């Protein structure tokens, strides 16, 4: 028997799974915990270092910027395909809105029965202070070179045409979100009219709707897939 055919314990490599924690709000701000610029080197390292058998995303996020969500998710998909490394997502407390966008970047999604999942929708919130400033003798003055340059100024009365334009933008953005989820969860989603209504569900119902693939926690599930001797390399 040649030396190369021996399976010596000290020569047998243990599977390595990179664990990437994605926790908090998603925003372009440098102070936000989740944005593409801040996460890029961490994500790159997770896929590249030590030739991992897989990358696990531990997600706990209520969402935030749709653009940053898309950038982070796209980076994960590019690296997964480039390095041929599968991605598994595990939801902790919540993967809502942009948080679910990140989860959908994985090849499969698991959650706790008490996890909150969904909120596939887009929201815009603001305030109106025109009555307040008028009571204090303040006059708002805005000058533009074109008609649509100023929209929904919080210090001016709301204009119906501005609201209509905003709803058009939100509708288009929602369609981008829906298309992404449908493509990533193709063949898994239930035919439910509420699926893209912005509602959230707990784990068991999310499983029935096809938003997730199972109810499980990260380490037990990953050891079930890759073996009891799996090593977890943590990032984030």
């Amino acid at each position: 028997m040649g030396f190369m055919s021996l399976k010596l314990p000290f020569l047998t490599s243990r599977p390595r799974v990179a664990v990437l924690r994605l926790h908090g709000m998603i925003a372009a701000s440098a102070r936000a915990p989740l944005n593409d610029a801040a996460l890029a080197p961490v994500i790159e390292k997770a896929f590249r270092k030590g030739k991992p058998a897989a990358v696990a995303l531990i997600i706990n996020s209520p969402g935030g910027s749709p653009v940053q969500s898309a950038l982070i998710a796209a980076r994960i998909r590019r690296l997964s395909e480039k390095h041929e490394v599968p991605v598994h997502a595990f939801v902790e407390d919540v993967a809502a809105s942009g948080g679910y966008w990140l989860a959908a970047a994985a090849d499969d999604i698991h959650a706790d029965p008490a996890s909150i999942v969904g909120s596939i929708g887009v929201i815009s919130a603001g305030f109106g202070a025109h009555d307040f400033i008028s009571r204090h003798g303040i006059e708002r003055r805005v000058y533009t070179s074109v008609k649509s340059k100023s929209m929904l100024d919080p210090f001016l009365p709301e204009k119906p045409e501005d609201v209509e334009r905003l709803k058009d933008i939100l509708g288009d953005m929602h369609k981008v979100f829906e298309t992404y989820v449908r493509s990533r969860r193709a063949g898994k989603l239930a035919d439910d009219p509420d699926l893209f209504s912005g509602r959230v569900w707990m784990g068991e119902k999310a499983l029935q709707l096809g938003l997730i693939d199972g109810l499980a926690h990260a380490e037990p599930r990953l050891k079930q897939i890759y073996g009891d001797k799996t090593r977890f390399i943590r990032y984030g």
Side-chain angles (χ1 to χ4, degrees):
M1 182 182 293
F3 174 76
M4 294 302 293
S5 65
L6 295 176
K7 293 185 178 180
L8 301 177
F10 56 87
L11 292 179
T12 303
S13 61
R14 296 166 58 188
R16 297 162 58 94
V17 174
V19 180
L20 183 60
R21 298 189 72 83
L22 301 176
H23 282 208
M25 289 292 297
I26 306 167
S29 168
R31 299 178 64 182
L34 299 180
N35 59 72
D36 185 58
L39 286 174
V42 182
I43 297 173
E44 297 272 353
K45 191 175 182 180
F47 277 94
R48 186 181 65 249
K49 189 174 181 181
K51 296 182 179 180
V55 169
L57 310 177
I58 310 299
I59 297 174
N60 193 356
S61 174
S65 164
V67 175
Q68 292 300 315
S69 301
L71 289 172
I72 296 167
R75 184 178 298 278
I76 290 169
R77 291 310 317 153
R78 286 197 305 272
L79 290 169
S80 173
E81 293 165 9
K82 176 182 178 181
H83 297 286
E84 297 183 337
V85 173
V87 180
H88 309 282
F90 296 89
V91 181
E92 291 191 337
D93 294 84
V94 59
S97 195
Y100 186 74
W101 197 314
L102 300 184
D107 299 301
D108 53 58
I109 307 171
H110 289 77
D112 183 88
S115 297
I116 300 297
V117 179
S119 188
I120 302 172
V122 184
I123 186 172
S124 176
F127 62 90
H130 61 282
D131 285 338
F132 174 81
I133 65 172
S134 65
R135 284 198 302 267
H136 289 76
I138 302 170
E139 181 185 2
R140 174 67 163 165
R141 296 173 179 175
V142 179
Y143 307 99
T144 66
S145 62
V146 289
K147 178 182 178 181
S148 299
K149 188 64 178 175
S150 175
M151 186 175 79
L152 293 175
D153 188 317
F155 300 106
L156 291 174
E158 193 174 63
K159 299 177 182 178
E161 60 268 26
D162 288 353
V163 176
E164 193 62 33
R165 284 201 297 269
L166 177 61
K167 287 183 176 180
D168 285 343
I169 293 171
L170 295 178
D172 290 344
M173 195 174 295
H174 178 83
K175 194 63 180 177
V176 171
F177 195 177
E178 179 180 340
T179 300
Y180 169 77
V181 172
R182 287 191 182 278
S183 67
R184 294 297 305 151
R185 304 292 298 170
K188 297 180 179 181
L189 297 174
D191 184 15
D192 191 306
D194 284 338
L195 202 57
F196 297 98
S197 68
R199 283 187 58 182
V200 296
W201 294 272
M202 292 179 64
E204 185 66 47
K205 184 62 176 179
L207 177 60
Q208 295 173 17
L209 290 170
L211 291 172
I212 64 174
D213 299 283
L215 300 173
H217 296 162
E219 289 197 13
R221 178 58 181 156
L222 291 168
K223 285 184 177 181
Q224 185 181 34
I225 298 171
Y226 298 102
D228 289 336
K229 295 184 178 180
T230 300
R231 293 177 59 197
F232 299 103
I233 315 300
R234 303 183 187 279
Y235 300 90

